[in-house]
Amino acid sequence: MTLAVRVPEELSARVPAEQRGPGRERDDVRLLVSRGTEPAHHVFRELPCLLRAGDLLVVNTSPTLAAAVDGRIGHARVVVHFSTRGDVAHGGEGRWAVELRDPDGRGTTRARAGGPTGTRVRLPGGARLVLEEALSPGSGRLWWARVAGGAGGDGRGAADVPGLLREYGRPIRYSYTERDQPLSVYQTVFALPSADGAGSAEMPSAARPFTAALVAELVSRGVQFAPVALHTGVASAEVHEPPYPERFSVPEASARLINAVRAGDGRVIAVGTTAVRAVESAAGDDGVVRAREGWTDLVVTPGRGVRVVDGLLTGLHEPEASHLLMLEAVAGRAAIDRGYEEALRGRYLWHEFGDVHLLLPEEDAHAEHCFSNCR
């Protein structure tokens, strides 16, 4: 799916909402709400009155990593984006999927040709990275690589990559942003540390506008939360490749809660495309969600559809982004076309620090009453 729209450069959110003026908070972003093909304009802190008691928000608890590290190939400077931690089944224990990028002289990076096998990158602290094989045939962007040397290794030459990222890494930043930000800016209120140092190369950004106070208000109104985890890798910023396998986990308690809500009158609303991918990966053909963890290669498309999710809270995506197929699977093509036309007309802001879009099914008079209370 490609939208027939163009997003002006000035609609890129260059800094987080809380840095746009005195007294601003994370929830000071706009919220476009689409019920079917009917859009309405709100602010994010009105979310509690747009949902109802019994609704369930599925949230991704993956923490954001400081996944960008400077390196050198010979005398040339490069930036390594650490994307996905491997295991025995996928790429081998101790390997990471990485993307090599060229610094652009403005504090961000541009794409570079990947490979070849055997390419060596010197990293800070005496560590070194060696490219071993492309992540998938025909794509040279992401490579499985092994990191060795440096402080904190395992005594057999393998490096402590999470420690390397903590010591020398910074959040991945793209050219539409104004300046580097501390890692805390890229953590959502739902983020939980992983025991093995795993996390997301890029922030699960749909959850960024939530604050602890807003979560408390939602709970007080009877909205429930189901935590899942999906460690998202480095996006294909230039050519919008479809997602590749990622690690995920749906705990038993969350699976039971999702099934109970689906059996009642509540709605299951995913917070972000990562939450959709996780929960749909744990759903059987019968629509029942079962506790699962491991790797998922699921790509949610209109042809496949969704089995669990009734609604989706998501950011605004580029017109060519592969994520739009998932949005269409949840809400239908007409709703997405109409919503994005309205977002452009309303001058909404794009990308991870931007505004958000709530996709809900067409509703009844109860929902209209809730909406009118927010206006």
Side-chain angles (χ1 to χ4, degrees), residues 3-285:
L3 294 175
V5 299
R6 186 186 69 83
V7 181
E9 185 177 343
E10 63 267 22
L11 294 187
S12 294
R14 295 175 58 78
V15 297
E18 63 271 24
Q19 296 178 15
R20 294 179 199 150
R24 299 289 296 270
E25 300 289 343
R26 284 189 175 213
D27 57 6
D28 281 315
V29 296
R30 299 171 70 190
L31 175 63
L32 179 67
V33 182
S34 293
R35 289 186 297 155
T37 57
E38 292 300 318
H41 301 280
H42 297 273
V43 294
F44 189 77
R45 60 169 53 101
E46 293 175 343
L47 183 64
C49 68
L50 296 168
L51 303 179
R52 60 195 187 206
D55 283 345
L56 177 68
L57 294 175
V58 181
V59 297
N60 187 1
T61 62
S62 177
T64 307
L65 301 175
V69 179
D70 292 323
R72 286 187 178 270
I73 300 175
H75 296 293
R77 294 176 57 225
V78 296
V79 178
V80 181
H81 286 177
F82 285 84
S83 181
T84 303
R85 185 175 190 161
D87 60 16
V88 173
H90 280 74
E93 188 69 35
R95 296 207 297 184
W96 283 71
V98 302
E99 179 185 25
L100 301 187
R101 305 209 19 124
D102 287 326
D104 62 4
R106 300 187 298 273
T108 53
T109 61
R110 56 177 176 265
R112 64 171 281 141
T117 298
T119 296
R120 295 174 178 270
V121 183
R122 300 195 309 276
L123 299 175
R128 59 191 182 277
L129 177 148
V130 180
L131 299 187
E132 294 189 343
E133 61 180 323
L135 187 69
S136 59
S139 174
R141 183 177 71 91
L142 291 167
W143 285 72
W144 284 117
R146 199 173 297 275
V147 183
D154 64 1
R156 297 169 303 193
D160 172 22
V161 174
L164 177 78
L165 301 184
R166 288 192 297 271
E167 180 73 19
Y168 300 107
R170 61 185 179 276
I172 290 174
R173 176 188 157 208
Y174 291 112
S175 58
Y176 49 77
T177 57
E178 185 174 289
R179 56 181 176 268
D180 284 347
Q181 299 283 351
L183 184 59
S184 60
V185 167
Y186 289 88
Q187 300 293 7
T188 74
V189 71
F190 304 110
L192 296 173
S194 298
D196 64 355
S200 289
E202 297 180 357
M203 172 177 55
S205 56
R208 191 184 189 280
F210 283 89
T211 63
L214 188 65
V215 170
E217 183 179 353
L218 285 161
V219 170
S220 73
R221 289 173 176 255
V223 176
Q224 303 178 86
F225 290 83
V228 300
L230 185 137
H231 302 309
T232 185
V234 177
S236 176
E238 285 81 21
V239 296
H240 303 289
E241 298 169 0
Y244 55 90
E246 294 168 318
R247 292 173 60 186
F248 82 105
S249 172
V250 175
E252 177 68 33
S254 293
R256 290 182 180 180
L257 184 54
I258 292 167
N259 293 330
V261 169
R262 294 190 70 242
D265 296 328
R267 299 169 297 183
V268 176
I269 300 168
V271 178
T273 57
T274 60
V276 175
R277 196 181 199 198
V279 74
E280 292 288 331
S281 296
D285 293 340

Side-chain angles (χ1 to χ4, degrees), residues 54 71 107 266 369:
H369 172 71

